[in-house]
Each structure stands twice: as structure tokens, then as C-alpha cells.
Amino acid sequence: MGGTTGDASAGSPVGKTDFVRTYSEARLRPVQADVTVSGRVTDASGLALPGVTVVVQGSTRGTSSDVNGNYSLTVPTGATLVFSYIGYTTQTVPVGKQAKINVTMREDAKALQELVVIGYGTQKQEDVSGAVTAVGAKDFQSGNVTTPEQLITGKVAGVQITSGGGQPGSGSSIRIRGGASLNASNDPLIVVDGVPLSGYGISGASNPLSLINPNDIATMTILKDASATAIYGSRASNGVVLITTKKGASGKPAINFNSQFITSSVSKKVDVLSADEFRAYVNEKGTDAQKALLGAANTDWQDEIYQTATGTDNNLSVSGSLKNMPYRVSAGYLNQEGVLRTDKFERKSAAVSLTPEFLDNHLKVDVNVKGSITNTRFANQGAIGAAVAFDPTQPVMAEGGNQWGNYFEWATTDNEGNVLLNPNASRNPVALLELRDDRSEVQRSFGNAQIDYKFHFLPELHANLNLGYDVAKGQGTIFVPAEAAQSYNVDPSLSGVNNRYLQRVNNKVVEFYLNYTKDLAAIKSNINATAGYGFYDNSTKNYNYASFSAIGDTIPGTKPVFPFDIPQNRLKSYYGRLIYTFKDKYTFTGTLRTDGSSRFSPENRWGVFPSASVAWRVSDEPFLNSVRSLSDLKLRLSYGITGQQEGIANYSYLSIYYLSVPSAQYQLGNDFYYMYAPSAYDANIRWEQTATANAGLDYGFLNNRISGSIDVYYKKTEDLLNVISVPVGSNFSNQILTNVGNIENKGLEFSINAIPVDKEDLTWNVGFNLTANKNKITNLTASEDASFAGNLTGGIAGATGQSIQINSVGYRTYSFYVYKQVYDENGNPIEGVYADLNEDGIINDEDRYRYQSAAPLVTLGFNTQVEYKKWNLSTILRAYLGNYMYNNIASNLGVERNILNPSGFLGNSSTSFYNTHFFNNQYQSDYYIENASFLRMDNVTLGYNAGRVFNAADLRLSLTCQNVFTVTNYSGVDPEIGSGIDNNFYLRPRTFVVGLNFGF
């Protein structure tokens, strides 16, 4: 057979005759010329997408977009292009006569949610049997976000995040499904890239999380029920927050730079008497001596202490790949003033992420290193309350100057003619700020190297080693000059402050686990088994410096016996988990962890924490195949036990001796010696444990354009770490921390996300979540005691030693404990008249009752985003229902006595006294317990994708307003204060942010 004939017959299915016919027909048809098509691929926000695959449909001809999202491809006329990219919906575009085709890729919600981070690994979303919620970068809160927890405020059902106030860099309380403890910690465990953070404060940092740059965070996953959290055992009673930071990706280097310009101002102040109203009141009702104290100034003290604050937040990142090593390097600089004068927060941060692979992808290494330095000047927040209480007729500066740094201060004259400070009067608010220099520098670095090896002989088996660290150094100085009234002493050598502090933190993490994952096709099953070991060493070195006066003299009684102390605790853990899935519809998860903590005696050291859960994908059952609108329906059930040891001392089971106070020194001859006294302790103190049952339902309709979940849960904490009274006559203090008591939490969570509009030029996303939670204390004492009212808590300003809250059996935690106010026929409260609730004819503590609580019964979150061509608009709203507030500003300052003070000075009052006409303070009246339910618009952001600028970068512009408005009936300055006691609160400012984002 000839070569030509052989080639033709061997390489084509057609015979010779067919080949000639086909060739002849082809000569009669016009030749289809190729055309070159080019364009640019971007995401929904207008940023370039590098590495997008572009192919001609039905062929292998294709290319990929470059680092700027540009592509160019020669295609046949009439071809169709297919654009595909991981995490995005594949798009097909007919070429037609177009020479330029720009494509906007839409994120594939199903693909993005396919894998979720769980403890020590990942899991398919469809197989998750616990209560787990993941929030990605595109859903984070926008605007001026300085700490990580602010990214998810209002975003997740069952998670309540309340900021501590408006101070830049200040912390927030994070509560997942309510608090589970009274005296131990209620904060969740936070894990960053596999490194569990200790949760303790760092000297000089108002919030340890402020040392983490939110711009480096990719996702935050919240583990809420015991099935999800039990793998973390003894630290998971309050939930777990898993933070995953941004990583590099294969391809050419991509550079991103964003900058924010920030301005903030106070939107609401305490309503007090103006200077003119104050003069009129004193002249009408004051004595001649009080009238003589009036000044001629017109000073708005709140205006004097607050300012319009400015700031910038700049972040630069470079990501790409060097051969087989993806990388990401970032640097950030935040410089922000507080609205309270002299308050300033500065953060310099850097992060490096390397994720190389070796041995044909059998060995994967994930290296993460993060570091930050914060420099803070802390304003004296005592100026907030002083500005409310100070006489508005007095000037800021004293006329002609005086001995208090030339600031006006209330003073008295003794019998010898010496000018002395009035000890009962408030200090000058401006002087409190300007004459106190409180600065800190905190350095922190944390990171890890996580090595994952897939065995060559058994690729289903992985060995994972995680070596992590978290080190910090916090130091600072506090200086107050000797002439400042705020630190005045009759002995000039002891006036003022010149103190320093230093702390070093050194935490180490060693974890090793094996993971085996195998599809068993023969029995339609999948198993995922994990077994591991963990060792955690947390050590802190505190330097015990003495206190010094402004001129450097040691303050008596402050000289330390030891130069430093090193509190330390260690935790050793063994854990295992089995996830079994059958037919991709039925999933069982079982977890067991045992922890040994150095905080407990050897007899009580180890705790065992099990959990089990099941999931049933009902939507995959044949009887629902006909319901075409149903995309997903999954039922989840779980039960588990977690532990608690955080928030208690490192050596609670040991007898500790404390140095006596100076007044209790023992005299031996002519010398005096400090003595040591033992503290109360419980040698048998043990783990606090929380059992949680959860039932959940995940749903989706219309190809998941409508999706969400419903959960109901029940949590019961036993062996509560609680403070109880010690019998009279013991050699200890009158209280001791031990395991007594139970708390219950019951709740409902509901979330729904919808895409009402999804068109090429217009998309609209809506999200809503609701949480209802109610707790109750069911036991507090070791033995029944009908006369025991409960443990008082919640100290208040103006009433030394008085508390306004109580923890009592049968009631919600931190219930307000007050007298029932009696009103006249016109509805006005009668001063000092309260209801005799026990009808014994005497008004005393037996007539106080539990009335409401600070924690909301229901929290709501709403978010929406509209994208139209290059524009996008988004907003987030939150609401609390059933939360109450004790208005301590009104109870302390809203009385006539505060103005017409008999102690030789005048003080201002909140205008609330017009409503009561009280002359004396009535601190325990339920009149001051107010419904603080509110609706708050957290932020609204308008963005514009300007596209390519200077032929070099993609530009996105944004304008954000934060703390837009608040709707509430609460009469105080802010209805959202975590403690439920409104006093000296650092006001949340209204903030405007202009943002620029460049992608190169």
C-alpha cells in the first residue's frame, strides 16, 4: 500500500471517494477568515481578573488573561468564546462581528461555598452537620474598620458584636449565642491561620485584636454549636472564630493599593444646661454664697473636649508566584485621631504568606508571618464625665494663671490661707486631657508554618504539622506634671505621675494530626478521619515597676518585692474526629477531645469533651425530585460538650500569698516589715462545662437565589465558675471562686439571603438575619439558701460601693436590681418613695426586685447591595429589641443637688432633672432603667469602578458614611452599651470615609 493512501486511510474515517467529495464541496464554499478578538476580564467590582481561561467553544484553541485582565485570541468568524475561572460562573459569548469583547465575571455562590473551614481542615458545605457560618471578603463591613471583629458586625445570626465605644482601635465584645459563664471568659476562641490566640490583653493595647490588620483577612468562619466547636474542647464553650488570611496565587505579580481618608465627629452629646440656663437656675434657687460662685464665661465643656478627628488607612499588597511558590506580601499604615482630644492610634503592619508545593504536590507548606507595631496616646476618658458635670460659667483657663497649670479648678482656702483643691469637685475636663501624657508602644508578631504531607504509598492519608507562635511586647509611660490638679498631693514631692510599665508575651503552639479521607464507591460512602495532638504554652512576663511622682520620688507602698513575675499556663490535648457520608445524603460526625490544663490540680486536670451530629440532605431524596423550585434542603441535629478555663487565674487551685498593704506592716524594733496573707482558694476547682443541643435546617430555592438556615439551640452550663461567700471566721477573704451553679441559654436563629435581580448590568442582593436568645440562672449556691438574693454586680458612678445588677437563680444574668418607683397622680416620680413589695411596712433591700436585663432578647441584621454597571450601593442595618439600659448619667448628675452643691462648688446637670425634679440622687430607682431597643444604620457605601486609568491600573472609588443614624426611645447618648450601664461612655462618632483602590 502506497504511503499517501496508507496515511489517508489510517488518519481519517472517510474513504477515498468521500475524501474527494468533501474536498470538492469545500472548494465551492467561501473560506471563513479568522478574526482577532481582544478585551478585558474583570470581576463585579471592576478589578482585573488575571488567569481567566478563554477558549473557542468546541476546540482546544484558547488563551488566558494577563495580570491586567487583558486577553487577545484569533478565532474563526462566527465562533463562540467560553470564559472560565475558579469561583466564578462560566460565561459564553458569541463573537459575531465584534473585535473587542469585555467580560464581567460573576462569582459562583455555590462554588465559593463548596468548601468551608472547620477545625483542623475543610469540609464540603453540603456535608456540614454543625452550625457553621462563613463570611467572605466581599460581604465584610466596609469603611473605617480598624479591628477584625468589626468586619462581620450584623452579618451573622447568633453573633452579637458590641464595640466598647468610639476610641480608635478599641475592642468589641463578641458573644456567640449568649454568654455561657459569669466569672470565666465569655469571649470566643479566635484562631488565625491555625494559630489559637490566647485572648488575654496586652499591656498598652486597648484591644489585642487591634494589632491585626483587617485588610489581610480573606474569610471569617464562625463555629457556633458543640458539633462544630468540640474539636477545640476546653476553649470552645463560647464558640470559635476561624480567621483565614489572604494567600498568593499562581500567575504574574498583582499589585493592589488602597487608601482611605477618614474624618469623624461626635453626632450626639449629653444634653446639659447651657451657661445661661445654668445662671438662671442658680440665681433663682441658689443661696447668696452659691450665686457668688457663678462665673462670667460661656463654656460648652463637651465642645472643648471633642474634636473633628482625621485619619488615613493605607494598604499595599503584592501577590503572585515564584515558580512553584505562590506568595503574598502586604504592608499597612493606619493613623487615626480620636474624637476625644489627645487620643491617637497609629498602626504599622506587615504580613508575608508563602504556600509552596513540593514532591509533585505531595508536600504542601503554608507559612504565615504577621507583625505590627502600634503607637497610642490614650486620652484621659475621665474628661467625658467631667465635661458633663463641670460648671459652664467657668473659663477653661484661669484668669492671670494659677498653680494648677493655669487651668481653672475649684479650690478652697484653709484657715492658714493656703489654696487647696476642693476634693469633692470635678477636675477641669480640658486639663484632664492636656496635662496627662499616656503613651504606649506595642509590638506583636504571630504566625506559623503548617506542613502537610500526602503519603506517596497512600495518598488518602495526610500528616499535618503546625508550629505556631504569638509573641508581643507592650510598654508605655504615663506622665502627669506636679502642677496638675488630677494628681495633686499636699506633699509637693508626691504630686504628679511619672510611671512606666513593660510586659512580654510568649505563646507557643505545636500541633500534629493525621487525616485520612477515602471515597468508598462500592458502598457509596466517604470517610474523613482525623486524629491529633496539641501542646500550647502561654507565658507572660510582667515587670513590676514602682509608682513615681512627677519629680521621680517613689510613692510609698509601691516598691515591688520582685522585679517581675511570670504567670504561665500550659494545655495538652488529644483529639479525634470521624465524618462519615453515605450516598452524599447522610452525614455523621463524631468528635472527641481531651484536654489537660495546668490551671487545675492533677486530680482535676483532664477534661473530656465529646460531640456527635447528623445531617440529612432531604432535597436529594427521590420524593422531592418533582419540586423543581427546591435547590437545597438539609436537616442537621447535634449534641456536644465543651469546656471552659479561660478567665480564671493560672494557679487557682494553689494557696497564694499576697503582700500586705502599707498600713498593715509589722513593727519589729524600729523597723517595719510587710507581711503576707493567704488568699481563699479551692484545691478542687475543675472545668466549667457547657452542653449544647442544636437542630438546624438549611434551605435553598430557585437555584439558590433564595437560601438560608434556621437553627434552634439549648445550652446548659454546669459546674459554673462562680464567686461565693466564705463562712465567717475563716482565715481568708469573704469570697472564693469555685464550681457552683448552672446557666441555661435557649435561642432561635434565622437567616435568609436572596438575589431578587440578576441581570448583566443590574444585580441586587439582600440578606437578613434574626437571633432570639434568652438565658436563665438555675443554680448559684452549693446548698439551698432561700435568703440568698444573689451576687451583686454592676458598680455605678456617684454611689460608691453600690451595685445596680444582680445574678439570681431563676432570672436572666445581670438583671437590674432596683426599687419600684412610686408616681403621683400626674405621672411624676415621687422622690424617695418606693413600693413596699413584700408589704412588711418597711422599705429596705427586701423590696428591691429584678427588672429587665442589658442583653437584647432579639437582634436583627439587614444588608443589601445593588450593582448597576460601574456603580454599586450597599448598606447594613442592625436592630436590638428588649435590651435595657441604666441611665447612670441621669441618676448621678440629673439632680438639683448637683447644681446647688453644698460642698463649695457648682456643678452642671443633665436636663433629665427637669423630668424628675429630684433634689437628691435616687440611684436604685427603676425610673432610670430604660428600654434601649434601637435600629441603627451602621454604614452606607457608594462605589464607582472607574476602570483603567493612565493605561496602568484599575481604579475603584468609594464613599462611606458610618453610624449613619440611630432610631431609639432611649434618652441617653447611646443605646448600645454592652454592660447596660451608661456612664462616661466614649461616644461613637459619625465617620465619613473616601476610599481609593488601585489594582496593577
mmCIF file of all heavy atoms in Angstrom, residues 526-540:
data_model
loop_
_atom_site.group_PDB
_atom_site.id
_atom_site.type_symbol
_atom_site.label_atom_id
_atom_site.label_comp_id
_atom_site.label_asym_id
_atom_site.label_seq_id
_atom_site.Cartn_x
_atom_site.Cartn_y
_atom_site.Cartn_z
ATOM 1 N N ASN A 526 -18.155 7.858 51.996
ATOM 2 C CA ASN A 526 -16.918 8.613 52.137
ATOM 3 C C ASN A 526 -16.607 8.719 53.622
ATOM 4 O O ASN A 526 -17.492 8.987 54.431
ATOM 5 C CB ASN A 526 -17.048 10.008 51.528
ATOM 6 C CG ASN A 526 -15.828 10.870 51.793
ATOM 7 O OD1 ASN A 526 -15.734 11.502 52.845
ATOM 8 N ND2 ASN A 526 -14.905 10.911 50.856
ATOM 9 N N ILE A 527 -15.336 8.503 53.962
ATOM 10 C CA ILE A 527 -14.928 8.665 55.349
ATOM 11 C C ILE A 527 -13.829 9.709 55.421
ATOM 12 O O ILE A 527 -12.970 9.807 54.552
ATOM 13 C CB ILE A 527 -14.464 7.341 55.990
ATOM 14 C CG1 ILE A 527 -13.288 6.744 55.211
ATOM 15 C CG2 ILE A 527 -15.609 6.370 56.114
ATOM 16 C CD1 ILE A 527 -12.684 5.544 55.902
ATOM 17 N N ASN A 528 -13.886 10.506 56.479
ATOM 18 C CA ASN A 528 -12.889 11.546 56.722
ATOM 19 C C ASN A 528 -12.539 11.465 58.203
ATOM 20 O O ASN A 528 -13.338 11.869 59.061
ATOM 21 C CB ASN A 528 -13.455 12.920 56.353
ATOM 22 C CG ASN A 528 -12.440 14.035 56.483
ATOM 23 O OD1 ASN A 528 -11.547 13.983 57.323
ATOM 24 N ND2 ASN A 528 -12.588 15.071 55.682
ATOM 25 N N ALA A 529 -11.361 10.916 58.502
ATOM 26 C CA ALA A 529 -10.974 10.683 59.892
ATOM 27 C C ALA A 529 -9.750 11.527 60.235
ATOM 28 O O ALA A 529 -8.805 11.624 59.447
ATOM 29 C CB ALA A 529 -10.676 9.209 60.125
ATOM 30 N N THR A 530 -9.784 12.137 61.425
ATOM 31 C CA THR A 530 -8.683 12.982 61.902
ATOM 32 C C THR A 530 -8.345 12.591 63.326
ATOM 33 O O THR A 530 -9.244 12.398 64.150
ATOM 34 C CB THR A 530 -9.073 14.464 61.850
ATOM 35 O OG1 THR A 530 -9.397 14.836 60.513
ATOM 36 C CG2 THR A 530 -7.938 15.345 62.345
ATOM 37 N N ALA A 531 -7.051 12.482 63.617
ATOM 38 C CA ALA A 531 -6.586 12.228 64.980
ATOM 39 C C ALA A 531 -5.342 13.060 65.207
ATOM 40 O O ALA A 531 -4.441 13.101 64.349
ATOM 41 C CB ALA A 531 -6.298 10.747 65.190
ATOM 42 N N GLY A 532 -5.285 13.755 66.365
ATOM 43 C CA GLY A 532 -4.162 14.657 66.552
ATOM 44 C C GLY A 532 -3.805 14.917 67.997
ATOM 45 O O GLY A 532 -4.462 14.448 68.938
ATOM 46 N N TYR A 533 -2.736 15.700 68.131
ATOM 47 C CA TYR A 533 -2.177 16.074 69.433
ATOM 48 C C TYR A 533 -1.845 17.562 69.392
ATOM 49 O O TYR A 533 -1.407 18.084 68.357
ATOM 50 C CB TYR A 533 -0.907 15.260 69.706
ATOM 51 C CG TYR A 533 -0.035 15.829 70.804
ATOM 52 C CD1 TYR A 533 -0.314 15.560 72.141
ATOM 53 C CD2 TYR A 533 1.063 16.630 70.502
ATOM 54 C CE1 TYR A 533 0.486 16.074 73.157
ATOM 55 C CE2 TYR A 533 1.867 17.147 71.514
ATOM 56 C CZ TYR A 533 1.574 16.867 72.835
ATOM 57 O OH TYR A 533 2.362 17.388 73.830
ATOM 58 N N GLY A 534 -2.048 18.241 70.510
ATOM 59 C CA GLY A 534 -1.721 19.660 70.583
ATOM 60 C C GLY A 534 -1.068 20.010 71.905
ATOM 61 O O GLY A 534 -1.401 19.446 72.953
ATOM 62 N N PHE A 535 -0.125 20.946 71.844
ATOM 63 C CA PHE A 535 0.532 21.454 73.045
ATOM 64 C C PHE A 535 0.597 22.969 72.941
ATOM 65 O O PHE A 535 1.029 23.516 71.926
ATOM 66 C CB PHE A 535 1.944 20.877 73.183
ATOM 67 C CG PHE A 535 2.695 21.433 74.367
ATOM 68 C CD1 PHE A 535 2.416 20.994 75.649
ATOM 69 C CD2 PHE A 535 3.674 22.409 74.191
ATOM 70 C CE1 PHE A 535 3.096 21.511 76.742
ATOM 71 C CE2 PHE A 535 4.357 22.926 75.275
ATOM 72 C CZ PHE A 535 4.067 22.469 76.553
ATOM 73 N N TYR A 536 0.145 23.648 73.995
ATOM 74 C CA TYR A 536 0.029 25.105 73.968
ATOM 75 C C TYR A 536 0.665 25.651 75.248
ATOM 76 O O TYR A 536 0.282 25.277 76.363
ATOM 77 C CB TYR A 536 -1.433 25.522 73.873
ATOM 78 C CG TYR A 536 -2.198 24.731 72.829
ATOM 79 C CD1 TYR A 536 -2.832 23.533 73.162
ATOM 80 C CD2 TYR A 536 -2.250 25.158 71.509
ATOM 81 C CE1 TYR A 536 -3.500 22.793 72.213
ATOM 82 C CE2 TYR A 536 -2.925 24.414 70.545
ATOM 83 C CZ TYR A 536 -3.539 23.231 70.905
ATOM 84 O OH TYR A 536 -4.195 22.487 69.957
ATOM 85 N N ASP A 537 1.618 26.543 75.078
ATOM 86 C CA ASP A 537 2.347 27.119 76.201
ATOM 87 C C ASP A 537 2.167 28.625 76.169
ATOM 88 O O ASP A 537 2.591 29.298 75.220
ATOM 89 C CB ASP A 537 3.833 26.752 76.094
ATOM 90 C CG ASP A 537 4.639 27.211 77.305
ATOM 91 O OD1 ASP A 537 4.098 27.971 78.126
ATOM 92 O OD2 ASP A 537 5.808 26.824 77.426
ATOM 93 N N ASN A 538 1.498 29.171 77.188
ATOM 94 C CA ASN A 538 1.238 30.608 77.258
ATOM 95 C C ASN A 538 1.975 31.192 78.456
ATOM 96 O O ASN A 538 1.731 30.803 79.601
ATOM 97 C CB ASN A 538 -0.263 30.877 77.398
ATOM 98 C CG ASN A 538 -1.055 30.291 76.241
ATOM 99 O OD1 ASN A 538 -0.701 30.483 75.091
ATOM 100 N ND2 ASN A 538 -2.116 29.564 76.551
ATOM 101 N N SER A 539 2.870 32.130 78.176
ATOM 102 C CA SER A 539 3.689 32.709 79.239
ATOM 103 C C SER A 539 3.724 34.217 79.082
ATOM 104 O O SER A 539 3.856 34.743 77.968
ATOM 105 C CB SER A 539 5.111 32.139 79.173
ATOM 106 O OG SER A 539 5.948 32.757 80.118
ATOM 107 N N THR A 540 3.619 34.918 80.202
ATOM 108 C CA THR A 540 3.642 36.382 80.216
ATOM 109 C C THR A 540 4.608 36.844 81.300
ATOM 110 O O THR A 540 4.573 36.332 82.424
ATOM 111 C CB THR A 540 2.247 36.958 80.494
ATOM 112 O OG1 THR A 540 1.342 36.507 79.499
ATOM 113 C CG2 THR A 540 2.284 38.481 80.478
#
